[in-house]
Coordinates of all heavy atoms in Angstrom, one line a residue:
C123 N 118.7 85.2 100.4 CA 118.3 85.7 99.1 C 118.0 87.2 99.3 O 117.3 87.6 100.3 CB 117.0 85.0 98.7 SG 116.3 85.7 97.2
R124 N 118.5 88.1 98.4 CA 118.2 89.5 98.4 C 116.8 89.7 97.9 O 116.5 89.1 96.8 CB 119.2 90.3 97.5 CG 120.6 90.3 98.1 CD 120.8 91.3 99.2 NE 120.5 92.7 98.8 CZ 120.5 93.7 99.7 NH1 120.7 93.4 101.0 NH2 120.3 94.9 99.3
K125 N 115.9 90.4 98.6 CA 114.5 90.5 98.1 C 114.1 92.0 98.3 O 114.3 92.6 99.3 CB 113.6 89.6 98.9 CG 113.8 89.7 100.5 CD 112.9 88.7 101.2 CE 113.0 88.8 102.7 NZ 112.0 87.9 103.4
F126 N 113.5 92.5 97.2 CA 113.2 93.9 97.2 C 112.0 94.1 96.2 O 111.8 93.3 95.3 CB 114.4 94.8 96.9 CG 115.2 94.3 95.7 CD1 115.0 94.8 94.4 CD2 116.2 93.4 95.9 CE1 115.8 94.3 93.4 CE2 117.0 93.0 94.9 CZ 116.8 93.4 93.6
S127 N 111.3 95.2 96.4 CA 110.2 95.6 95.5 C 110.7 96.6 94.4 O 111.7 97.2 94.6 CB 109.1 96.2 96.3 OG 109.4 97.4 96.9
Y128 N 109.9 96.7 93.4 CA 110.1 97.8 92.4 C 108.7 98.4 92.0 O 107.9 97.7 91.4 CB 110.9 97.3 91.2 CG 111.0 98.5 90.2 CD1 112.0 99.4 90.5 CD2 110.2 98.7 89.2 CE1 112.1 100.6 89.7 CE2 110.3 99.8 88.4 CZ 111.2 100.7 88.7 OH 111.3 101.9 87.9
A129 N 108.5 99.6 92.3 CA 107.4 100.4 91.8 C 106.1 99.7 92.0 O 105.2 99.7 91.1 CB 107.6 100.8 90.3
A130 N 105.9 99.0 93.1 CA 104.6 98.4 93.4 C 103.6 99.4 93.7 O 103.8 100.4 94.4 CB 104.8 97.4 94.6
S131 N 102.4 99.2 93.2 CA 101.2 100.0 93.5 C 100.4 99.4 94.7 O 100.3 98.1 94.8 CB 100.3 100.1 92.3 OG 100.6 101.3 91.6
V132 N 99.9 100.2 95.6 CA 99.3 99.8 96.8 C 97.8 99.7 96.8 O 97.2 98.7 97.2 CB 99.8 100.6 98.0 CG1 99.2 100.2 99.3 CG2 101.3 100.6 98.1
G133 N 97.2 100.7 96.3 CA 95.7 100.8 96.4 C 95.3 101.2 97.8 O 96.1 101.7 98.6
T134 N 94.0 100.9 98.1 CA 93.5 101.3 99.5 C 93.6 100.1 100.4 O 93.1 99.1 100.2 CB 92.0 101.7 99.4 OG1 91.9 102.8 98.4 CG2 91.5 102.1 100.7
V135 N 94.4 100.4 101.5 CA 94.5 99.4 102.6 C 93.9 99.9 103.9 O 94.3 101.0 104.3 CB 96.0 99.1 102.8 CG1 96.2 98.0 103.9 CG2 96.7 98.6 101.5
K136 N 93.0 99.1 104.4 CA 92.3 99.5 105.6 C 93.3 99.6 106.8 O 94.2 98.8 106.9 CB 91.2 98.6 106.0 CG 90.0 98.6 104.9 CD 88.9 97.6 105.3 CE 87.8 97.7 104.3 NZ 86.7 96.7 104.6
P137 N 93.1 100.6 107.7 CA 94.0 100.7 108.9 C 94.3 99.4 109.6 O 95.4 99.2 110.0 CB 93.2 101.7 109.8 CG 92.4 102.5 108.8 CD 92.0 101.5 107.7
A138 N 93.3 98.5 109.7 CA 93.6 97.3 110.4 C 94.6 96.4 109.7 O 95.3 95.6 110.4 CB 92.3 96.5 110.6
K139 N 94.8 96.6 108.4 CA 95.7 95.8 107.7 C 97.1 96.5 107.4 O 98.0 95.9 107.0 CB 95.1 95.4 106.3 CG 94.0 94.4 106.4 CD 94.4 93.0 106.8 CE 93.3 92.1 106.8 NZ 93.7 90.7 107.3
Q140 N 97.1 97.8 107.7 CA 98.3 98.5 107.4 C 99.5 98.1 108.3 O 100.6 98.0 107.8 CB 98.1 100.0 107.7 CG 97.2 100.6 106.6 CD 96.8 102.1 106.9 OE1 97.4 102.7 107.8 NE2 95.9 102.7 106.1
K141 N 99.2 97.7 109.5 CA 100.3 97.2 110.4 C 100.9 95.9 109.9 O 102.1 95.7 109.9 CB 99.8 97.1 111.8 CG 100.8 96.7 112.8 CD 100.3 96.6 114.3 CE 101.4 96.2 115.2 NZ 100.8 96.1 116.6
T142 N 100.0 95.0 109.4 CA 100.5 93.8 108.9 C 101.3 94.0 107.6 O 102.4 93.4 107.5 CB 99.3 92.9 108.5 OG1 98.5 92.7 109.6 CG2 99.7 91.6 107.9
M143 N 100.9 94.9 106.8 CA 101.6 95.2 105.6 C 103.0 95.8 105.9 O 104.0 95.5 105.2 CB 100.8 96.1 104.6 CG 101.5 96.4 103.3 SD 100.4 97.1 102.1 CE 101.6 97.8 101.0
L144 N 103.0 96.7 106.8 CA 104.3 97.3 107.2 C 105.3 96.3 107.7 O 106.5 96.4 107.5 CB 104.1 98.4 108.3 CG 103.4 99.7 107.8 CD1 103.1 100.6 108.9 CD2 104.3 100.4 106.8
G145 N 104.8 95.3 108.4 CA 105.6 94.2 108.9 C 106.2 93.4 107.7 O 107.4 93.1 107.7
Y146 N 105.5 93.2 106.6 CA 106.0 92.6 105.4 C 107.1 93.4 104.8 O 108.1 92.9 104.3 CB 104.9 92.3 104.4 CG 103.9 91.3 104.8 CD1 102.5 91.4 104.4 CD2 104.2 90.2 105.6 CE1 101.6 90.4 104.7 CE2 103.3 89.2 106.0 CZ 101.9 89.4 105.5 OH 101.0 88.5 105.9
L147 N 106.8 94.7 104.7 CA 107.8 95.6 104.0 C 109.1 95.7 104.8 O 110.1 95.9 104.2 CB 107.1 97.0 103.9 CG 105.9 97.1 103.0 CD1 105.4 98.6 102.9 CD2 106.1 96.5 101.7
K148 N 109.0 95.7 106.1 CA 110.2 95.8 106.9 C 111.1 94.6 106.7 O 112.3 94.6 107.0 CB 109.9 95.9 108.4 CG 109.2 97.3 108.8 CD 108.7 97.3 110.2 CE 108.0 98.6 110.5 NZ 107.4 98.6 111.9
D149 N 110.6 93.5 106.2 CA 111.3 92.3 106.0 C 112.0 92.3 104.7 O 112.8 91.4 104.4 CB 110.4 91.1 106.1 CG 111.2 89.8 106.3 OD1 112.2 89.8 107.1 OD2 110.8 88.7 105.7
L150 N 111.7 93.3 103.8 CA 112.4 93.4 102.5 C 113.7 94.1 102.7 O 113.9 94.9 103.6 CB 111.5 94.2 101.5 CG 110.2 93.5 101.1 CD1 109.4 94.5 100.3 CD2 110.4 92.2 100.4
D151 N 114.7 93.8 101.8 CA 116.0 94.5 101.8 C 115.9 95.9 101.2 O 116.8 96.7 101.6 CB 117.0 93.7 101.0 CG 117.3 92.3 101.7 OD1 117.7 92.3 102.8 OD2 117.1 91.3 101.0
A152 N 114.9 96.2 100.4 CA 114.7 97.5 99.9 C 113.3 97.7 99.4 O 112.7 96.7 99.0 CB 115.7 97.8 98.7
V153 N 112.7 98.9 99.5 CA 111.3 99.1 99.2 C 111.2 100.2 98.2 O 111.6 101.3 98.4 CB 110.5 99.5 100.5 CG1 109.1 99.8 100.2 CG2 110.6 98.3 101.5
S154 N 110.5 99.9 97.1 CA 110.2 100.9 96.1 C 108.7 100.8 95.7 O 108.2 99.7 95.5 CB 111.0 100.6 94.8 OG 110.5 101.2 93.7
I155 N 108.0 101.9 95.8 CA 106.6 102.0 95.4 C 106.5 103.0 94.3 O 107.4 103.8 94.0 CB 105.7 102.3 96.6 CG1 106.1 103.6 97.2 CG2 105.7 101.2 97.6 CD1 105.2 104.0 98.4
R156 N 105.3 103.0 93.6 CA 105.1 103.9 92.5 C 104.6 105.2 93.0 O 105.2 106.3 92.8 CB 104.2 103.3 91.5 CG 104.1 104.0 90.2 CD 103.1 103.5 89.2 NE 103.3 102.1 88.9 CZ 102.3 101.3 88.4 NH1 101.1 101.7 88.2 NH2 102.6 100.0 88.2
E157 N 103.4 105.2 93.6 CA 102.8 106.5 94.1 C 103.1 106.7 95.6 O 103.5 105.8 96.3 CB 101.3 106.4 93.9 CG 100.8 106.2 92.5 CD 100.7 104.7 92.1 OE1 100.6 103.9 93.1 OE2 100.7 104.4 90.9
K158 N 103.0 108.0 96.0 CA 103.2 108.3 97.4 C 102.1 107.7 98.2 O 100.9 107.8 97.9 CB 103.3 109.8 97.6 CG 104.5 110.4 97.0 CD 104.6 111.9 97.3 CE 105.9 112.5 96.7 NZ 107.1 111.9 97.3
V159 N 102.4 107.1 99.3 CA 101.4 106.5 100.3 C 101.9 107.0 101.7 O 102.9 106.5 102.2 CB 101.4 105.0 100.2 CG1 100.3 104.4 101.2 CG2 101.1 104.5 98.8
D160 N 101.1 107.9 102.3 CA 101.6 108.6 103.5 C 102.0 107.6 104.6 O 103.0 107.8 105.2 CB 100.5 109.5 104.0 CG 100.3 110.8 103.1 OD1 101.3 111.0 102.3 OD2 99.3 111.4 103.2
W161 N 101.1 106.6 104.8 CA 101.4 105.7 106.0 C 102.6 104.8 105.8 O 103.1 104.3 106.7 CB 100.1 104.9 106.4 CG 99.6 104.1 105.3 CD1 98.6 104.5 104.3 CD2 99.8 102.7 105.0 NE1 98.3 103.4 103.5 CE2 99.0 102.3 103.9 CE3 100.7 101.8 105.6 CZ2 99.1 101.0 103.4 CZ3 100.7 100.5 105.1 CH2 99.9 100.1 104.0
I162 N 103.0 104.6 104.5 CA 104.2 103.9 104.2 C 105.4 104.9 104.2 O 106.5 104.6 104.8 CB 104.2 103.2 102.9 CG1 103.1 102.1 102.9 CG2 105.5 102.5 102.5 CD1 102.9 101.4 101.6
D163 N 105.3 106.0 103.5 CA 106.4 107.0 103.4 C 106.8 107.5 104.8 O 107.9 107.8 105.0 CB 105.9 108.2 102.5 CG 105.8 107.8 101.1 OD1 106.8 107.1 100.6 OD2 104.9 108.2 100.4
D164 N 105.8 107.6 105.7 CA 106.1 108.2 107.0 C 106.5 107.2 108.1 O 106.8 107.6 109.2 CB 104.8 108.9 107.6 CG 104.4 110.1 106.7 OD1 105.3 110.6 105.9 OD2 103.2 110.5 106.7

């Protein structure tokens, strides 16, 4: 199944959870967010 996000908003994610979230995002076929989020963009 092709799976991807569209303009998702993130909010505040504590550093301890950022690594977990990045793991989820890497499993998507494409990633789209609404606002700039440094630790995701970088």
Side-chain angles (χ1 to χ4, degrees):
C123 176
R124 292 285 295 175
K125 52 182 182 176
F126 45 94
S127 65
Y128 180 77
S131 268
V132 178
T134 302
V135 181
K136 293 180 179 179
K139 293 291 184 182
Q140 290 177 7
K141 184 176 180 181
T142 302
M143 183 168 162
L144 287 173
Y146 293 148
L147 298 185
K148 291 173 186 177
D149 197 40
L150 296 175
D151 293 304
V153 177
S154 161
I155 58 178
R156 192 187 300 162
E157 301 88 18
K158 292 186 179 296
V159 182
D160 289 343
W161 57 272
I162 296 178
D163 290 316
D164 295 340

